[in-house]
Amino acid sequence: MEARSIIMAVRDGQELTPEAAVWFARGLADGTVSDAQAGAFAMAVLCRGLSDEGRVALTEAMRRSGQQLRWDLPGPVVDKHSTGGIGDSVSLLLAPALAACGVYVPMISGRGLGHTGGTLDKMESIPGYKALPGTAVLQKVVADVGCAIVGATEEIAPADRRLYSIRDISGTVESLDLITASILSKKLAAGLEALVLDVKVGSGAFMATLEEAQALAQSLVRTANEAGCKTAALMTDMDQSLGHSAGNALEVLEVMETLTGSSVNEALWDVTSALGGEVLTLAGKAANLDDGAEQIDAAIESGRAAECFGRMVAALGGPFDFVERFPDRLPAASVILPVPAPRRGYVAKVNGRALGETVVRLGGGRLVAGDRINPSVGLSGLAMIGEELGPGEVLCLVHAPNADRAERAIAAVQAAYEISEDAPEEPPLLHARLGPEDLA
């Protein structure tokens, strides 16, 4: 078997067999497959597509190209994945809440690139937190605490790491087949028994329309279930920031306020409960979705989720008193300025992508993979769709490293908001659901 024959078969619309997928994934991982061959393969997949069987074969092969975690725990191993958006800090709430419900969560997460924030960047705004501790530490913390939010080691799905970088330079990022294999190869390598997917839809998401989100959700749910992992997906709104904050330390602050009950973000809580209810049901820890959501609510309300979060932070190098002292432990920006509303009225529309790009330009995200992040910058107190703005009210606060960047951010935020005289209809938080039972 050789790369050329596999590429030509996919190009000509033939089935990608499990044997061919395994050979190609191994070649990606060990360098036998060249960059040019990897790019040609990605383009062939983009142009011709894969069957359901071929997509599963590629996902399984990429999962097996590296280390696969094995667990011996007294409860199911589960996780959640989001396709990305702004102000989306659900992972930080959900992982400890699930752990408090008796399941185990090895949450292998990624960094932000483009306008969306990255879970690892948020966690690394906590002083001392080690987001790349290695597999042995990950397994110990999950066993001891119940959850760990970390990044993938080089041993996890190395074929995906190689193909991911090739997709970026070969113009094949949007392939549903390659997106599916990339997301699931890493998640399944973590040894999961159940997975819930949060597929974002709207101006702040990669999938701008519900039709696009449904196509991706169906590809992910079908492939994961056929690969042996019980999986469901929710399509949730990203026409505006999910949280009232966008920016790494600011989002951690909002999560901690919700976990401790000092200031609850209801939208963030509601999405967390819905996703948690799904995965607890899939894992057999809840009788139904409502029971699962109630378990998540109870874990947060009782403070058990906050306790798990604090133990996880301490176990991964962060402050032992983080839950009690989080306002003092998180970095703060040098300049904080209000963004005046341009006129009175109701928030009718928000360009979520523009807000995310504003955070990036403040220094809170990456334009290229190697950029350093300033964890303190971002936007807080974001006005939401349907909110009425009177005289002197603001759209948000800008947290910036200096006055010049703050002023540019103020102008960008004002341009991202559309103000109307009439109250608009608020977008639904949850658009649709896709479970294993919907695939028949």
Side-chain angles (χ1 to χ4, degrees):
M1 193 170 290
E2 61 176 358
R4 182 172 177 270
S5 63
I6 295 171
I7 294 166
M8 291 176 65
V10 174
R11 181 201 65 187
D12 294 340
Q14 298 176 28
E15 184 71 78
L16 178 66
T17 66
E19 295 77 17
V22 167
W23 190 96
F24 206 87
R26 188 180 297 123
L28 286 168
D30 65 18
T32 303
V33 172
S34 70
D35 284 356
Q37 290 168 332
F41 174 81
M43 187 60 70
V45 172
L46 173 69
C47 293
R48 295 307 298 261
L50 298 176
S51 66
D52 291 343
E53 293 79 9
R55 195 183 308 120
V56 172
L58 181 60
T59 301
E60 290 271 37
M62 288 170 60
R63 171 177 74 164
R64 293 171 180 164
S65 67
Q67 184 180 23
Q68 298 179 71
L69 301 185
R70 299 286 184 266
W71 302 95
D72 183 16
L73 298 168
V77 178
V78 308
D79 199 1
K80 162 259 182 190
H81 176 81
S82 169
T83 58
I86 64 163
D88 177 14
S89 50
V90 166
S91 291
L92 279 63
L93 270 174
L94 183 57
L98 286 169
C101 293
V103 297
Y104 294 83
V105 190
M107 189 171 280
I108 297 178
S109 303
R111 300 191 183 281
L113 187 60
H115 73 282
T116 65
T119 297
L120 290 192
D121 301 321
K122 294 166 193 176
M123 295 306 299
E124 285 184 336
S125 69
I126 300 172
Y129 190 90
K130 296 179 178 63
L132 298 169
T135 301
V137 174
L138 164 64
Q139 292 189 293
K140 183 179 189 307
V141 174
V142 170
D144 293 346
V145 177
C147 63
I149 301 175
V150 300
T153 67
E154 293 185 357
E155 292 78 24
I156 298 287
D160 172 65
R161 183 175 295 103
R162 178 93 185 287
L163 191 56
Y164 187 92
S165 63
I166 296 294
R167 286 166 53 210
D168 190 37
I169 62 175
S170 63
T172 57
V173 170
E174 66 268 35
S175 165
L176 281 184
D177 296 314
L178 297 179
I179 291 170
T180 299
S182 178
I183 290 171
L184 294 179
S185 60
K186 295 188 290 288
K187 289 296 182 183
L188 299 181
L192 304 182
E193 298 170 54
L195 172 67
V196 64
L197 300 159
D198 185 1
V199 180
K200 299 295 186 184
V201 55
S203 68
F206 289 111
M207 301 296 167
T209 68
L210 184 57
E211 291 73 23
E212 292 173 326
Q214 287 173 324
L216 177 57
Q218 185 166 32
S219 176
L220 287 165
V221 171
R222 184 178 297 280
T223 302
N225 279 283
E226 290 182 2
C229 180
K230 295 178 182 177
T231 302
L234 296 181
M235 282 140 275
T236 66
D237 186 69
M238 190 47 67
D239 263 333
Q240 60 183 332
S241 174
L242 178 59
H244 293 299
S245 298
N248 296 300
L250 295 171
E251 290 183 49
V252 175
L253 181 67
E254 187 168 26
V255 164
M256 296 312 300
E257 289 174 342
T258 299
L259 280 174
T260 59
S262 57
S263 179
V264 172
N265 181 319
E266 292 185 4
L268 197 59
W269 186 315
D270 288 347
V271 173
T272 300
S273 294
L275 291 166
E278 288 282 350
V279 79
L280 286 176
T281 304
L282 289 170
K285 294 292 286 186
N288 52 50
L289 299 180
D290 288 340
D291 175 42
E294 289 170 4
Q295 289 187 46
I296 296 294
D297 291 343
I300 298 174
E301 288 170 352
S302 66
R304 289 183 290 121
E307 180 187 357
C308 284
F309 190 91
R311 291 173 59 209
M312 176 186 70
V313 167
L316 288 167
F320 282 84
D321 60 352
F322 185 71
V323 173
E324 295 77 22
R325 301 283 303 276
F326 64 88
D328 303 326
R329 298 293 184 236
L330 291 167
S334 304
V335 176
I336 303 175
L337 293 176
V339 180
R343 62 191 183 91
R344 298 177 60 177
Y346 295 89
V347 176
K349 194 174 183 181
V350 181
N351 186 332
R353 180 178 290 267
L355 291 183
E357 290 170 347
T358 300
V359 174
V360 172
R361 287 192 292 270
L362 283 167
R366 295 178 182 83
L367 294 171
V368 296
D371 284 352
R372 286 188 61 118
I373 278 185
N374 182 339
S376 68
V377 302
L379 310 171
S380 68
L382 287 160
M384 310 303 273
I385 293 174
E387 186 173 330
E388 185 176 10
L389 299 169
E393 294 200 52
V394 301
L395 297 174
C396 69
L397 297 177
V398 167
H399 299 247
N402 54 55
D404 182 53
R405 285 206 198 183
E407 291 298 336
R408 292 202 296 268
I410 288 171
V413 170
Q414 289 175 326
Y417 274 84
E418 184 179 309
I419 309 299
S420 168
E421 292 182 0
D422 302 316
E425 183 177 338
E426 296 181 33
L429 198 57
L430 302 177
H431 288 284
R433 175 187 177 274
L434 183 68
E437 69 281 2
D438 299 315
L439 299 176

